[in-house]
């Protein structure tokens, strides 16, 4: 049996949790044990976890042979390959390439910066406030949110259209972390707000999201 080490609310584990819940809602049966690592108690930096992931990061997937995959998107792509029936990626190379590009832009242009912003203004881990970093991210945020607004401008229910995608999991994991840190950056972006409200009603989201 595989083991998935993670923690609720943190963006990268939540992305994988949402992905798993979406796949299970589509009928996939994955033999994965979920193990919580309490980051508030620093368990991610204890020798036991560092032996699994030398970066002390989460999530970490332990395979049946004792090897580890330690990056969230790599975990998702591994599971897409391991359980291909009903996977979230399109079979068409063009559609798959566009979906992967969108997910990368969501994470690299928005989600990662939002995580840094939350820590800079109201860190759940108790990190000191950093007004300089917060200001830099605030200045860059409209471009990323404008990108999301453009995608959603046609009224599509999900980022990829009518079917859920990995990008949806990435975006919602970032927005949950913002809610956890009591930070709101989407109030002036109606398309993103509508998407957020709609996605949070999905059974997978209800099963995973804590905030």
């Amino acid at each position: 049996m595989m083991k998935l080490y993670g923690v609720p609310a943190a963006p990268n584990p939540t992305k994988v949790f949402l992905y798993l819940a979406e796949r299970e809602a589509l009928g996939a049966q994955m033999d994965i044990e979920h193990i919580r690592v309490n980051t508030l108690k620093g368990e991610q930096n204890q020798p036991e976890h560092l032996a699994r992931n030398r970066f002390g990061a989460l999530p970490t997937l332990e395979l049946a042979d004792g090897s580890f995959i330690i990056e969230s998107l790599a975990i998702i792509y591994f599971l897409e390959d391991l359980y291909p029936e009903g996977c979230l990626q399109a079979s068409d190379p063009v559609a798959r390439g566009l979906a992967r590009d969108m997910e990368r832009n969501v994470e690299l242009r928005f989600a990662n910066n939002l995580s840094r912003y939350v820590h800079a203004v109201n860190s759940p881990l108790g990190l000191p406030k950093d007004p300089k970093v917060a200001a830099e991210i605030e200045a860059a945020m409209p471009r990323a949110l404008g990108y999301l607004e453009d995608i959603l401008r046609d009224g599509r229910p999900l980022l990829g259209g009518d079917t859920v995608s990995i990008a949806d999991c990435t975006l919602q994991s970032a927005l949950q972390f913002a809610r956890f840190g009591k930070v709101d950056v989407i109030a002036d972006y109606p398309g993103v707000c509508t998407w957020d409200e709609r996605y949070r009603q999905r059974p997978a989201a209800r099963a995973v999201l804590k905030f």
Side-chain angles (χ1 to χ4, degrees), residues 116-136:
R116 292 176 58 231
Y117 183 71
V118 171
H119 283 301
V121 300
N122 189 31
S123 174
L125 296 179
L127 300 177
K129 296 181 186 299
D130 193 329
K132 180 180 179 182
V133 168
E136 290 173 352

Side-chain angles (χ1 to χ4, degrees), residues 27 32 42 86 95 109 136 139 153 166 204:
I32 301 175
R109 315 289 185 185
E136 290 173 352
R153 198 173 304 280
I166 298 168

Side-chain angles (χ1 to χ4, degrees), residues 40 79 196 200:
L40 295 179
L79 295 173
D196 179 50
R200 286 159 69 183

